Amino acid sequence: MKKIILLLFPLWMNAQIGIGTANPLADLHVGGNTSTIRIESLNAVNSPMYNNGIKPAHAFVNDSGDVTINPSVLNGTGPGGIIAPINFLLTNNNFIPDGASNRGQILNNITSATSSAGLITTVDFSSAGTALIEVKYSISVLLSKTDLNISETAFNDVSARTYKIYFCIDINDDGLSAIELSKKYGLNAQSYASDDQGILGYAYTNGHGYSTIPAGNHSLHFFAETTDGANKHTSIGFGGMQDLLRVRIYN
């Protein structure tokens, strides 16, 4: 008499894999409070466009569930992207030259005029693609009733002065056009009023602005303007003590 042995196998199996743990609580559970996961295809050698090896790269998940650091609209398979990690293009703790007198870039508003304007400094930068940039600046300001190129003197004329700081963006770094010069970003203004016993000291002006730029080389042009009363002399040094510039890119 022949015997028939019937083997039954489940149609599916639901197993959880544990690494460093005997009790996995997910489909893949990596245990240990110092555990890490490495995907070598995403490192700085294999993906230098999105992982520069210095700053941590953000990871994205495409519609197939694949982990990628390419934020492309083509689900991580094409070049470029519109949701790339935020990066600082540059950070400069002394972007304004201190000048021969070590009082920064000096703007004089002479007694025969009531207003004056001038360029403080220019900063070059570049972008690998079309992007939104954020520019933040902090600039020290020193005011004097005598030319700061020679000496500094406190005000004692019971009068008020105002000054403005802003920057323009030279797209493609080919010289400011009339349109580029008319767009004043990060505009900030302050006033200074003196009594008959004025003192010398540094004030600080902070500002920031945003703009969309194309790929290529560009430059920031920082300007200052000052106004005072009739027959008054105002000398202002920008960046003589401390100044900070940060340019952040959202691409």
Side-chain angles (χ1 to χ4, degrees):
M1 182 177 178
K2 295 182 178 179
K3 293 182 179 180
I4 299 176
I5 300 175
L6 181 62
L7 300 177
L8 299 177
F9 295 93
L11 296 178
W12 54 271
M13 298 180 65
N14 184 14
Q16 292 177 320
I17 300 173
I19 301 176
T21 177
N23 184 30
L25 303 176
D27 292 339
L28 175 61
H29 183 167
V30 181
N33 56 14
T34 60
S35 60
T36 60
I37 297 176
R38 174 171 294 182
I39 305 175
E40 292 190 350
S41 64
L42 305 183
N43 65 21
V45 175
N46 296 309
S47 299
M49 180 177 294
Y50 304 102
N51 187 344
N52 63 12
I54 301 174
K55 303 171 184 175
H58 290 192
F60 301 87
V61 179
N62 63 21
D63 60 354
S64 299
D66 299 328
V67 178
T68 175
I69 52 177
N70 178 356
S72 173
V73 292
L74 300 177
N75 297 316
T77 61
I82 59 173
I83 319 175
I86 299 172
N87 294 305
F88 281 102
L89 280 178
L90 62 91
T91 298
N92 193 326
N93 293 319
N94 188 27
F95 74 102
I96 300 177
D98 292 334
S101 63
N102 206 37
R103 299 184 178 101
Q105 296 303 292
I106 297 170
L107 177 64
N108 279 302
N109 190 0
I110 60 178
T111 55
S112 60
T114 56
S115 64
S116 181
L119 178 69
I120 300 176
T121 191
T122 301
V123 179
D124 297 325
F125 71 97
S126 61
S127 175
T130 300
L132 173 69
I133 62 168
E134 176 187 18
V135 179
K136 289 187 175 183
Y137 68 84
S138 178
I139 300 175
S140 64
V141 181
L142 177 65
L143 293 91
S144 169
K145 68 173 294 185
T146 56
D147 187 350
L148 285 171
N149 290 295
I150 303 172
S151 63
E152 51 188 69
T153 308
F155 294 102
N156 59 358
D157 53 10
V158 193
S159 184
R161 277 87 173 167
T162 63
Y163 64 85
K164 301 176 183 178
I165 299 176
Y166 60 89
F167 63 89
C168 300
I169 303 176
D170 182 359
I171 302 298
N172 298 325
D173 199 21
D174 55 359
L176 285 171
S177 66
I179 295 178
E180 292 171 338
L181 192 59
S182 67
K183 297 179 180 180
K184 300 179 180 180
Y185 299 93
L187 177 63
N188 201 345
Q190 294 195 45
S191 61
Y192 178 93
S194 65
D195 204 334
D196 58 357
Q197 295 180 356
I199 60 174
L200 289 167
Y202 285 93
Y204 290 87
T205 298
N206 304 297
H208 70 279
Y210 299 85
S211 181
T212 300
I213 58 170
N217 298 320
H218 317 287
S219 57
L220 303 173
H221 295 244
F222 287 83
F223 292 92
E225 298 178 1
T226 179
T227 58
D228 58 14
N231 301 316
K232 305 294 183 181
H233 186 282
T234 303
S235 185
I236 305 180
F238 297 92
M241 177 59 68
Q242 293 178 336
D243 47 274
L244 171 65
L245 173 65
R246 282 186 172 178
V247 180
R248 186 161 62 177
I249 186 169
Y250 303 79
N251 59 349

